[in-house]
């Protein structure tokens, strides 16, 4: 069975600071990897995804993530956060064999202060 | 992408009653998934609904509590039965499309009093 670990429960940053949120997964086979964001009171939105190819993927709003297979990691980064990035961030994986559900990490709350 | 609608968008229900949530997809899909997001928590998979067969439930979820119907390839329902305040959550349906990308409905926010 798959599992996803997000290391940080709550991260507080000042505007313009750099962001890195950790995500590690456990699964014996090939996976697809995702980062979702949930702004306060809103539903989930896909930030970025990795299926194959270049392990550095770029998503919306200036976010990127790097898949390091040897470390089973898919950390999310942004060079300079804004107040509007305040949200809950979820890492998720599914088995890359079609029609498989997502397994989510517990989420990381990001608070960006002015 | 996939367009997914859910009804109702929110409801407040009394303890002991049941609520059926509908999920409609704009095109045919093989699998539909139902998730729960309890307040302040992550998403947890309840069950996988495959058209023409019984739903497959995850550990901790049972058919008597969360019966699911999947009458065709574009529609599914999830019923939350004999509700208690612990069932207060957002319930989401989702589908896979294309290369394993998963799309979520807007969710049904359920409050049980």
């Amino acid at each position: 069975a798959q599992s996803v670990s997000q290391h940080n429960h709550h991260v507080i940053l000042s505007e313009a600071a750099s962001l890195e949120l950790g995500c590690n997964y456990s699964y014996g086979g090939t996976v697809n990897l995702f980062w979702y964001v949930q702004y306060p009171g809103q539903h989930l939105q896909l930030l970025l995804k990795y299926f194959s190819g270049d392990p550095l993927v770029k998503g919306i709003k200036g976010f990127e993530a790097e898949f390091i297979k040897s470390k089973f990691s898919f950390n999310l980064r942004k060079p300079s956060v804004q107040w509007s990035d305040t949200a809950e961030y979820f890492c998720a994986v599914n088995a890359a064999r079609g029609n498989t559900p997502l397994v989510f990490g517990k989420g990381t709350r990001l608070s960006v202060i002015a | 992408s996939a367009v997914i609608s859910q009804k109702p968008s929110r409801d407040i229900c009394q303890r002991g009653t049941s609520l059926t949530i509908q999920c409609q997809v704009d095109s045919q899909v093989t699998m539909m998934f139902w998730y729960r997001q309890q307040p302040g928590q992550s998403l947890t998979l309840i069950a996988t609904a495959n058209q023409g067969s019984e739903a497959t439930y995850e550990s901790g979820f049972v058919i008597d509590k969360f019966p699911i119907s999947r009458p065709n390839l574009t529609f599914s329902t999830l019923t939350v039965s004999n509700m208690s305040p612990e069932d207060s959550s957002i319930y989401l349906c989702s589908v896979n499309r294309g290369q394993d990308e998963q799309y979520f409905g807007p969710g049904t926010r359920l409050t049980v009093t």
Side-chain angles (χ1 to χ4, degrees):
Chain A
Q2 303 142 39
S3 66
V4 178
S5 298
Q6 291 184 241
H7 314 303
N8 311 102
H9 178 64
H10 189 190
V11 173
I12 302 172
L13 294 173
S14 298
E15 278 193 313
S18 64
L19 169 72
E20 180 160 2
L21 300 182
C23 172
N24 285 89
Y25 69 93
S26 173
Y27 182 65
T30 304
V31 296
N32 303 311
L33 297 149
F34 306 83
W35 275 98
Y36 285 86
V37 60
Q38 189 171 34
Y39 297 102
Q42 298 189 23
H43 58 271
L44 279 179
Q45 180 178 356
L46 181 67
L47 266 182
L48 47 78
K49 60 193 176 190
Y50 173 81
F51 292 145
S52 63
D54 188 345
L56 183 62
V57 293
K58 296 191 183 299
I60 61 171
K61 306 188 180 191
F63 287 91
E64 64 178 32
E66 184 175 13
F67 171 48
I68 303 179
K69 189 175 181 180
S70 60
K71 295 184 178 180
F72 297 89
S73 70
F74 190 56
N75 292 354
L76 180 71
R77 301 194 291 249
K78 186 171 184 178
S80 175
V81 296
Q82 302 171 316
W83 178 82
S84 57
D85 293 324
T86 295
E88 190 89 19
Y89 292 81
F90 296 97
C91 181
V93 303
N94 66 0
R97 49 182 166 82
N99 273 323
T100 56
L102 286 172
V103 175
F104 285 83
K106 292 188 181 296
T108 297
R109 181 185 305 173
L110 172 64
S111 299
V112 180
I113 56 178
Chain B
S1 63
V3 176
I4 305 172
S5 60
Q6 284 186 235
K7 290 182 183 179
S9 59
R10 59 178 63 223
D11 207 342
I12 300 173
C13 301
Q14 289 196 340
R15 180 196 299 261
T17 62
S18 298
L19 176 72
T20 295
I21 302 167
Q22 300 178 6
C23 179
Q24 180 76 51
V25 188
D26 65 340
S27 60
Q28 295 181 345
V29 292
T30 307
M31 299 284 198
M32 294 178 77
F33 307 100
W34 286 97
Y35 291 84
R36 178 174 75 179
Q37 186 178 23
Q38 294 177 298
Q41 304 293 319
S42 184
L43 279 76
T44 301
L45 180 67
I46 298 172
T48 300
N50 194 359
Q51 196 271 334
S53 62
E54 292 234 345
T56 303
Y57 289 82
E58 298 298 302
S59 176
F61 298 96
V62 295
I63 188 171
D64 289 345
K65 176 67 175 177
F66 297 101
I68 288 172
S69 78
R70 184 80 203 274
N72 58 53
L73 291 171
T74 63
F75 186 78
S76 178
T77 67
L78 170 76
T79 298
V80 186
S81 304
N82 188 25
M83 288 184 283
S84 67
E86 293 71 35
D87 294 321
S88 297
S89 294
I90 299 173
Y91 292 85
L92 303 103
C93 67
S94 75
V95 302
N96 276 6
R97 181 69 58 81
Q99 196 180 356
D100 286 325
E101 186 163 342
Q102 200 153 35
Y103 297 91
F104 287 87
T108 296
R109 185 180 295 270
L110 170 62
T111 303
V112 183
T113 61

Coordinates of all heavy atoms in Angstrom, one line a residue, chain A residues 33-112:
Chain A
L33 N 2.9 11.6 -9.2 CA 3.0 12.5 -8.0 C 2.3 13.8 -8.2 O 2.4 14.3 -9.3 CB 4.5 12.7 -7.6 CG 5.2 11.4 -7.3 CD1 6.7 11.5 -7.7 CD2 5.1 11.2 -5.8
F34 N 1.7 14.3 -7.2 CA 0.9 15.5 -7.3 C 1.1 16.4 -6.1 O 1.3 16.0 -5.0 CB -0.6 15.2 -7.4 CG -1.0 14.2 -8.5 CD1 -0.8 12.9 -8.3 CD2 -1.4 14.7 -9.7 CE1 -1.2 11.9 -9.3 CE2 -1.8 13.7 -10.7 CZ -1.7 12.4 -10.5
W35 N 0.9 17.7 -6.4 CA 0.7 18.7 -5.3 C -0.6 19.4 -5.6 O -0.8 19.9 -6.7 CB 1.9 19.7 -5.2 CG 3.0 19.2 -4.4 CD1 4.2 18.7 -4.9 CD2 3.2 19.3 -3.0 NE1 5.1 18.3 -3.9 CE2 4.5 18.7 -2.7 CE3 2.4 19.7 -1.9 CZ2 5.0 18.6 -1.4 CZ3 2.9 19.6 -0.6 CH2 4.2 19.1 -0.4
Y36 N -1.4 19.5 -4.5 CA -2.7 20.2 -4.6 C -2.6 21.3 -3.5 O -1.9 21.2 -2.5 CB -3.9 19.3 -4.2 CG -4.3 18.3 -5.3 CD1 -3.6 17.1 -5.4 CD2 -5.3 18.7 -6.2 CE1 -4.0 16.2 -6.4 CE2 -5.6 17.8 -7.2 CZ -5.0 16.6 -7.3 OH -5.4 15.7 -8.3
V37 N -3.4 22.4 -3.8 CA -3.5 23.5 -2.9 C -5.0 23.7 -2.6 O -5.8 23.5 -3.4 CB -2.8 24.8 -3.5 CG1 -3.5 25.2 -4.8 CG2 -2.9 25.9 -2.4
Q38 N -5.2 24.1 -1.3 CA -6.6 24.4 -0.9 C -6.5 25.7 -0.2 O -6.1 25.8 0.9 CB -7.1 23.3 0.0 CG -8.6 23.4 0.3 CD -9.2 22.2 1.0 OE1 -8.5 21.6 1.8 NE2 -10.4 21.9 0.7
Y39 N -7.0 26.8 -0.9 CA -7.1 28.1 -0.2 C -8.3 28.1 0.7 O -9.2 27.3 0.6 CB -7.3 29.2 -1.3 CG -6.1 29.2 -2.2 CD1 -6.2 28.7 -3.5 CD2 -4.9 29.8 -1.8 CE1 -5.1 28.7 -4.4 CE2 -3.8 29.8 -2.7 CZ -3.9 29.3 -3.9 OH -2.8 29.3 -4.8
P40 N -8.2 28.9 1.7 CA -9.3 29.0 2.8 C -10.7 29.0 2.2 O -11.0 29.9 1.4 CB -8.9 30.2 3.6 CG -7.4 30.4 3.4 CD -7.2 29.9 2.0
G41 N -11.5 28.1 2.6 CA -12.9 28.0 2.1 C -13.1 27.6 0.7 O -14.2 27.6 0.2
Q42 N -12.0 27.1 0.0 CA -12.2 26.7 -1.4 C -11.9 25.3 -1.5 O -11.4 24.6 -0.6 CB -11.3 27.6 -2.3 CG -11.6 29.1 -2.2 CD -10.8 29.8 -3.3 OE1 -10.4 29.3 -4.3 NE2 -10.6 31.1 -3.0
H43 N -12.2 24.7 -2.7 CA -11.9 23.3 -3.0 C -10.5 23.1 -3.5 O -9.8 24.1 -3.8 CB -12.9 22.7 -3.9 CG -13.1 23.4 -5.2 ND1 -13.9 24.4 -5.5 CD2 -12.4 23.1 -6.4 CE1 -13.7 24.8 -6.7 NE2 -12.9 24.0 -7.3
L44 N -10.1 21.9 -3.6 CA -8.8 21.5 -4.1 C -8.5 22.0 -5.5 O -9.3 22.0 -6.4 CB -8.6 20.0 -4.1 CG -8.3 19.3 -2.8 CD1 -8.2 17.8 -3.0 CD2 -7.0 19.8 -2.1
Q45 N -7.2 22.4 -5.6 CA -6.8 22.9 -7.0 C -5.4 22.2 -7.2 O -4.5 22.2 -6.4 CB -6.7 24.4 -7.0 CG -6.2 25.0 -8.3 CD -6.2 26.5 -8.2 OE1 -6.5 27.1 -7.2 NE2 -5.7 27.1 -9.3
L46 N -5.2 21.7 -8.4 CA -4.0 21.1 -8.8 C -2.9 22.1 -9.0 O -3.1 23.0 -9.8 CB -4.2 20.2 -10.0 CG -2.9 19.4 -10.5 CD1 -2.5 18.4 -9.5 CD2 -3.2 18.8 -11.9
L47 N -1.8 22.0 -8.3 CA -0.6 22.9 -8.5 C 0.3 22.4 -9.6 O 0.7 23.1 -10.5 CB 0.2 23.0 -7.2 CG -0.1 24.1 -6.2 CD1 0.9 24.0 -5.1 CD2 0.0 25.4 -6.9
L48 N 0.6 21.1 -9.5 CA 1.5 20.5 -10.5 C 1.5 19.0 -10.3 O 0.9 18.5 -9.4 CB 3.0 21.0 -10.3 CG 3.6 21.0 -9.0 CD1 4.0 19.7 -8.5 CD2 4.7 22.0 -8.9
K49 N 2.1 18.3 -11.4 CA 2.0 16.9 -11.4 C 3.3 16.3 -12.1 O 3.9 17.0 -12.9 CB 0.8 16.4 -12.1 CG 0.8 16.9 -13.6 CD -0.6 16.7 -14.3 CE -0.5 17.3 -15.7 NZ -1.8 17.3 -16.3
Y50 N 3.7 15.1 -11.7 CA 4.8 14.4 -12.3 C 4.3 13.0 -12.7 O 3.8 12.3 -11.9 CB 6.0 14.3 -11.4 CG 7.1 13.5 -12.0 CD1 7.9 14.0 -12.9 CD2 7.2 12.1 -11.7 CE1 8.9 13.2 -13.5 CE2 8.1 11.3 -12.2 CZ 9.0 11.9 -13.2 OH 9.9 11.1 -13.7
F51 N 4.5 12.7 -14.0 CA 4.2 11.4 -14.5 C 5.5 10.7 -14.9 O 5.7 9.5 -14.6 CB 3.2 11.4 -15.7 CG 1.8 11.9 -15.3 CD1 1.1 12.7 -16.2 CD2 1.3 11.6 -14.1 CE1 -0.2 13.1 -15.8 CE2 0.0 12.0 -13.7 CZ -0.8 12.7 -14.6
S52 N 6.3 11.4 -15.7 CA 7.5 10.8 -16.2 C 8.4 11.9 -16.8 O 7.9 13.0 -16.9 CB 7.3 9.7 -17.2 OG 6.7 10.2 -18.3
G53 N 9.6 11.6 -17.2 CA 10.4 12.6 -17.9 C 11.2 13.5 -16.9 O 11.7 13.0 -15.9
D54 N 11.4 14.7 -17.3 CA 12.1 15.7 -16.5 C 11.6 15.7 -15.1 O 10.5 15.9 -14.8 CB 12.0 17.0 -17.1 CG 13.0 18.1 -16.5 OD1 13.5 17.8 -15.4 OD2 13.1 19.1 -17.1
P55 N 12.5 15.3 -14.1 CA 12.1 15.3 -12.7 C 11.8 16.6 -12.1 O 11.2 16.7 -11.0 CB 13.3 14.6 -12.0 CG 14.4 14.9 -12.9 CD 13.9 14.9 -14.3
L56 N 12.1 17.7 -12.7 CA 11.8 19.0 -12.2 C 10.6 19.5 -13.0 O 10.6 19.7 -14.2 CB 13.0 20.0 -12.4 CG 12.8 21.4 -11.9 CD1 12.6 21.3 -10.4 CD2 14.0 22.3 -12.3
V57 N 9.5 19.6 -12.3 CA 8.2 20.0 -12.9 C 7.8 21.4 -12.4 O 8.0 21.7 -11.3 CB 7.1 19.0 -12.7 CG1 7.4 17.7 -13.4 CG2 6.9 18.8 -11.2
K58 N 7.3 22.2 -13.4 CA 6.8 23.5 -13.0 C 5.3 23.5 -13.1 O 4.7 22.9 -13.9 CB 7.4 24.5 -14.0 CG 8.9 24.6 -13.9 CD 9.5 25.8 -14.7 CE 11.0 25.8 -14.6 NZ 11.5 26.0 -13.2
G59 N 4.7 24.2 -12.1 CA 3.3 24.3 -12.0 C 2.8 25.7 -12.1 O 3.5 26.6 -12.6
I60 N 1.6 25.9 -11.6 CA 1.0 27.2 -11.7 C 1.6 28.1 -10.5 O 2.1 27.6 -9.6 CB -0.5 27.2 -11.6 CG1 -1.0 26.5 -10.3 CG2 -1.1 26.4 -12.8 CD1 -2.5 26.6 -10.0
K61 N 1.4 29.4 -10.7 CA 1.7 30.4 -9.7 C 3.2 30.4 -9.2 O 3.5 30.7 -8.1 CB 0.8 30.2 -8.5 CG -0.7 30.3 -8.9 CD -1.6 30.3 -7.7 CE -3.1 30.3 -8.2 NZ -4.1 30.6 -7.2
G62 N 4.1 29.9 -10.1 CA 5.5 30.0 -9.8 C 6.0 28.8 -8.9 O 7.2 28.8 -8.5
F63 N 5.2 27.8 -8.7 CA 5.6 26.6 -7.9 C 6.3 25.6 -8.8 O 6.0 25.5 -10.0 CB 4.4 26.0 -7.3 CG 3.8 26.7 -6.1 CD1 2.8 27.6 -6.3 CD2 4.3 26.5 -4.8 CE1 2.3 28.3 -5.2 CE2 3.8 27.2 -3.7 CZ 2.8 28.1 -3.9
E64 N 7.2 24.9 -8.2 CA 7.9 23.8 -8.9 C 8.1 22.7 -7.9 O 8.1 22.9 -6.7 CB 9.2 24.3 -9.5 CG 10.3 24.7 -8.5 CD 11.6 25.1 -9.2 OE1 11.5 25.6 -10.4 OE2 12.6 24.9 -8.6
A65 N 8.4 21.5 -8.4 CA 8.7 20.4 -7.5 C 9.7 19.5 -8.2 O 9.7 19.4 -9.5 CB 7.4 19.6 -7.2
E66 N 10.5 18.8 -7.4 CA 11.5 17.9 -8.0 C 11.3 16.5 -7.5 O 11.3 16.3 -6.2 CB 12.9 18.4 -7.6 CG 14.0 17.6 -8.2 CD 15.4 18.1 -8.0 OE1 15.6 19.0 -7.1 OE2 16.4 17.7 -8.6
F67 N 11.3 15.6 -8.4 CA 11.1 14.2 -8.0 C 12.5 13.6 -7.9 O 13.3 13.7 -8.9 CB 10.3 13.5 -9.1 CG 10.3 12.0 -9.0 CD1 10.0 11.4 -7.8 CD2 10.6 11.2 -10.1 CE1 10.0 10.0 -7.7 CE2 10.5 9.8 -10.0 CZ 10.3 9.2 -8.8
I68 N 12.9 13.1 -6.8 CA 14.1 12.4 -6.6 C 13.8 11.0 -6.2 O 13.4 10.6 -5.1 CB 15.0 13.1 -5.4 CG1 15.2 14.5 -5.8 CG2 16.3 12.3 -5.3 CD1 16.0 15.3 -4.7
K69 N 14.0 10.1 -7.2 CA 13.5 8.8 -7.1 C 14.3 8.0 -6.0 O 13.7 7.2 -5.3 CB 13.7 8.0 -8.5 CG 13.1 6.7 -8.5 CD 13.2 6.1 -9.9 CE 12.6 4.7 -10.0 NZ 12.7 4.1 -11.4
S70 N 15.6 8.3 -5.9 CA 16.4 7.6 -4.9 C 16.0 7.9 -3.5 O 16.2 7.1 -2.6 CB 17.8 7.9 -5.1 OG 18.1 9.3 -5.0
K71 N 15.4 9.0 -3.3 CA 14.9 9.5 -2.0 C 13.4 9.4 -1.8 O 12.9 9.7 -0.8 CB 15.3 10.9 -1.8 CG 16.9 11.1 -1.7 CD 17.2 12.6 -1.4 CE 18.7 12.8 -1.3 NZ 19.0 14.2 -0.9
F72 N 12.7 8.9 -2.8 CA 11.2 8.8 -2.8 C 10.6 10.1 -2.3 O 9.7 10.2 -1.5 CB 10.8 7.7 -1.8 CG 11.3 6.3 -2.2 CD1 12.5 5.8 -1.8 CD2 10.5 5.5 -3.0 CE1 12.9 4.5 -2.2 CE2 10.9 4.2 -3.4 CZ 12.1 3.8 -3.0
S73 N 11.2 11.2 -2.9 CA 10.7 12.5 -2.5 C 10.2 13.3 -3.6 O 10.6 13.1 -4.8 CB 11.9 13.3 -1.8 OG 12.9 13.6 -2.7
F74 N 9.3 14.2 -3.3 CA 8.7 15.1 -4.3 C 8.5 16.5 -3.6 O 7.3 16.8 -3.3 CB 7.5 14.5 -4.9 CG 6.9 15.2 -6.1 CD1 7.6 15.4 -7.2 CD2 5.6 15.7 -6.1 CE1 7.1 16.1 -8.3 CE2 5.0 16.3 -7.2 CZ 5.8 16.5 -8.3
N75 N 9.5 17.2 -3.3 CA 9.4 18.4 -2.5 C 8.9 19.6 -3.4 O 9.3 19.8 -4.6 CB 10.7 18.8 -1.9 CG 11.2 17.8 -0.8 OD1 10.4 16.9 -0.5 ND2 12.4 17.9 -0.3
L76 N 8.1 20.4 -2.8 CA 7.5 21.6 -3.5 C 8.3 22.8 -3.1 O 8.7 23.0 -1.9 CB 6.1 21.8 -3.0 CG 5.3 23.0 -3.6 CD1 5.0 22.7 -5.1 CD2 4.0 23.2 -2.8
R77 N 8.6 23.7 -4.1 CA 9.4 24.9 -3.9 C 8.8 26.1 -4.5 O 8.1 25.9 -5.6 CB 10.8 24.7 -4.4 CG 11.6 23.5 -3.8 CD 13.0 23.6 -4.1 NE 13.3 23.3 -5.5 CZ 13.9 22.3 -6.0 NH1 14.3 21.3 -5.1 NH2 14.2 22.2 -7.3
K78 N 9.1 27.2 -4.0 CA 8.8 28.5 -4.6 C 9.8 29.5 -4.1 O 10.0 29.6 -2.9 CB 7.4 29.0 -4.2 CG 6.9 30.2 -5.0 CD 5.5 30.6 -4.8 CE 5.1 31.8 -5.6 NZ 3.7 32.1 -5.5
P79 N 10.4 30.2 -5.0 CA 11.6 31.1 -4.6 C 11.1 32.2 -3.8 O 11.9 32.7 -2.9 CB 12.2 31.5 -5.9 CG 11.2 31.2 -7.0 CD 10.3 30.1 -6.5
S80 N 9.9 32.7 -4.0 CA 9.5 33.9 -3.2 C 8.0 33.9 -3.0 O 7.2 34.0 -4.0 CB 9.9 35.2 -4.1 OG 9.4 36.4 -3.4
V81 N 7.6 33.7 -1.8 CA 6.2 33.5 -1.5 C 5.5 34.8 -1.4 O 6.1 35.9 -1.0 CB 5.9 32.6 -0.3 CG1 6.4 31.2 -0.5 CG2 6.5 33.3 1.0
Q82 N 4.2 34.8 -1.6 CA 3.3 36.0 -1.4 C 2.3 35.7 -0.4 O 2.0 34.5 -0.1 CB 2.7 36.4 -2.8 CG 3.7 36.6 -3.9 CD 3.0 36.7 -5.2 OE1 2.1 36.0 -5.6 NE2 3.4 37.7 -6.0
W83 N 1.7 36.8 0.1 CA 0.6 36.6 1.1 C -0.5 35.7 0.6 O -1.1 34.9 1.3 CB 0.1 38.0 1.5 CG -1.0 37.9 2.5 CD1 -0.9 37.8 3.8 CD2 -2.4 38.0 2.2 NE1 -2.2 37.8 4.4 CE2 -3.1 37.9 3.4 CE3 -3.1 38.1 1.0 CZ2 -4.5 37.9 3.4 CZ3 -4.5 38.1 1.0 CH2 -5.2 38.0 2.3
S84 N -0.7 35.8 -0.7 CA -1.8 35.1 -1.3 C -1.5 33.6 -1.4 O -2.4 32.8 -1.8 CB -2.1 35.6 -2.7 OG -1.0 35.5 -3.5
D85 N -0.3 33.2 -1.1 CA 0.0 31.7 -1.1 C -0.4 31.1 0.2 O -0.3 29.8 0.4 CB 1.5 31.5 -1.3 CG 2.0 31.9 -2.7 OD1 1.2 31.7 -3.6 OD2 3.1 32.5 -2.8
T86 N -0.9 31.8 1.1 CA -1.4 31.2 2.4 C -2.5 30.2 2.1 O -3.6 30.6 1.5 CB -2.0 32.3 3.3 OG1 -0.9 33.2 3.7 CG2 -2.7 31.7 4.5
A87 N -2.3 29.0 2.4 CA -3.2 27.9 2.0 C -2.7 26.6 2.7 O -1.7 26.6 3.4 CB -3.2 27.7 0.5
E88 N -3.5 25.6 2.4 CA -3.1 24.2 2.8 C -2.6 23.5 1.6 O -3.2 23.6 0.5 CB -4.3 23.4 3.4 CG -4.0 22.1 4.0 CD -3.7 22.3 5.5 OE1 -4.1 23.3 6.1 OE2 -3.1 21.4 6.1
Y89 N -1.4 22.8 1.7 CA -0.8 22.2 0.6 C -0.8 20.6 0.8 O -0.3 20.2 1.9 CB 0.6 22.7 0.4 CG 0.6 24.1 -0.1 CD1 0.4 25.2 0.8 CD2 0.7 24.4 -1.5 CE1 0.4 26.5 0.4 CE2 0.6 25.8 -1.9 CZ 0.5 26.8 -1.0 OH 0.4 28.1 -1.4
F90 N -1.2 19.9 -0.2 CA -1.3 18.4 0.0 C -0.5 17.8 -1.1 O -0.6 18.1 -2.3 CB -2.7 18.0 -0.2 CG -3.7 18.4 0.9 CD1 -4.5 19.5 0.7 CD2 -3.8 17.8 2.1 CE1 -5.3 20.0 1.7 CE2 -4.6 18.2 3.1 CZ -5.4 19.3 2.9
C91 N 0.4 16.9 -0.7 CA 1.1 16.0 -1.6 C 0.3 14.7 -1.8 O -0.3 14.2 -0.8 CB 2.5 15.7 -1.0 SG 3.5 14.7 -2.1
A92 N 0.3 14.2 -3.0 CA -0.5 13.0 -3.2 C 0.2 12.1 -4.3 O 0.9 12.6 -5.1 CB -1.9 13.3 -3.7
V93 N -0.1 10.8 -4.2 CA 0.5 9.9 -5.1 C -0.6 8.9 -5.6 O -1.6 8.6 -4.8 CB 1.7 9.1 -4.6 CG1 2.8 10.0 -4.1 CG2 1.2 8.1 -3.5
N94 N -0.4 8.3 -6.8 CA -1.2 7.1 -7.1 C -0.3 6.2 -8.0 O 0.7 6.6 -8.5 CB -2.5 7.5 -7.8 CG -2.4 8.1 -9.2 OD1 -1.3 8.3 -9.7 ND2 -3.5 8.4 -9.8
A95 N -0.7 5.0 -8.0 CA 0.0 4.0 -8.7 C -0.1 4.3 -10.2 O -1.3 4.5 -10.7 CB -0.4 2.6 -8.4
A96 N 0.9 4.2 -10.9 CA 0.9 4.6 -12.4 C 0.5 3.4 -13.2 O 1.2 2.9 -14.1 CB 2.3 5.1 -12.8
R97 N -0.7 2.9 -13.0 CA -1.2 1.8 -13.8 C -2.6 2.0 -14.2 O -3.4 1.1 -14.5 CB -1.0 0.5 -13.0 CG -1.5 0.5 -11.6 CD -1.3 -0.9 -10.9 NE -1.4 -0.8 -9.5 CZ -2.6 -0.9 -8.9 NH1 -3.7 -1.0 -9.6 NH2 -2.7 -0.8 -7.5
G98 N -3.1 3.3 -14.1 CA -4.4 3.6 -14.6 C -5.5 3.4 -13.6 O -5.6 2.4 -13.0
N99 N -6.4 4.4 -13.5 CA -7.6 4.3 -12.7 C -7.3 3.9 -11.3 O -8.0 3.1 -10.7 CB -8.6 3.3 -13.3 CG -9.5 4.0 -14.3 OD1 -9.9 5.2 -14.1 ND2 -9.8 3.3 -15.4
T100 N -6.3 4.5 -10.7 CA -6.0 4.2 -9.3 C -6.3 5.5 -8.5 O -6.0 6.6 -8.9 CB -4.6 3.8 -9.1 OG1 -3.7 4.7 -9.6 CG2 -4.3 2.4 -9.8
P101 N -6.8 5.3 -7.3 CA -7.1 6.5 -6.4 C -5.8 7.2 -5.9 O -4.7 6.6 -5.9 CB -7.9 5.9 -5.3 CG -7.4 4.5 -5.2 CD -7.1 4.1 -6.6
L102 N -6.0 8.4 -5.5 CA -4.9 9.1 -4.9 C -4.8 8.8 -3.4 O -5.8 8.7 -2.7 CB -5.1 10.6 -5.0 CG -4.9 11.2 -6.4 CD1 -5.4 12.7 -6.5 CD2 -3.5 11.1 -6.8
V103 N -3.6 8.8 -2.9 CA -3.3 8.7 -1.5 C -2.7 10.1 -1.1 O -1.7 10.5 -1.7 CB -2.4 7.6 -1.1 CG1 -2.0 7.6 0.3 CG2 -3.0 6.2 -1.5
F104 N -3.3 10.7 -0.1 CA -2.9 12.1 0.3 C -2.0 12.0 1.5 O -2.2 11.2 2.4 CB -4.1 12.9 0.5 CG -4.8 13.4 -0.7 CD1 -5.7 12.6 -1.3 CD2 -4.5 14.6 -1.3 CE1 -6.4 13.0 -2.5 CE2 -5.2 15.1 -2.4 CZ -6.1 14.2 -3.0
G105 N -1.1 13.0 1.6 CA -0.4 13.3 2.8 C -1.3 14.1 3.7 O -2.4 14.5 3.3
K106 N -0.9 14.3 4.9 CA -1.7 15.0 5.9 C -1.8 16.5 5.7 O -2.7 17.2 6.3 CB -1.2 14.7 7.3 CG -1.4 13.3 7.8 CD -1.1 13.1 9.2 CE -1.2 11.7 9.7 NZ -2.6 11.2 9.5
G107 N -1.0 17.0 4.8 CA -1.1 18.4 4.5 C -0.2 19.3 5.3 O 0.2 18.9 6.4
T108 N 0.2 20.4 4.7 CA 1.0 21.4 5.4 C 0.3 22.7 5.2 O 0.0 23.2 4.1 CB 2.4 21.5 4.7 OG1 3.1 20.3 4.9 CG2 3.2 22.6 5.4
R109 N 0.1 23.4 6.4 CA -0.5 24.7 6.3 C 0.6 25.7 6.2 O 1.5 25.7 7.0 CB -1.3 24.9 7.6 CG -2.0 26.3 7.6 CD -2.6 26.6 9.0 NE -3.6 25.5 9.3 CZ -4.2 25.5 10.5 NH1 -4.0 26.4 11.4 NH2 -5.0 24.5 10.7
L110 N 0.5 26.6 5.2 CA 1.4 27.6 5.0 C 0.8 29.0 5.3 O -0.3 29.3 4.8 CB 1.9 27.7 3.5 CG 2.7 28.9 3.1 CD1 4.1 28.9 3.9 CD2 3.0 28.9 1.6
S111 N 1.4 29.7 6.2 CA 0.9 31.0 6.6 C 2.0 32.0 6.1 O 3.2 31.9 6.6 CB 0.7 31.2 8.1 OG -0.3 30.3 8.5
V112 N 1.7 32.9 5.3 CA 2.6 34.0 4.8 C 2.2 35.3 5.5 O 1.1 35.7 5.3 CB 2.6 34.1 3.3 CG1 3.6 35.2 2.9 CG2 2.9 32.7 2.7

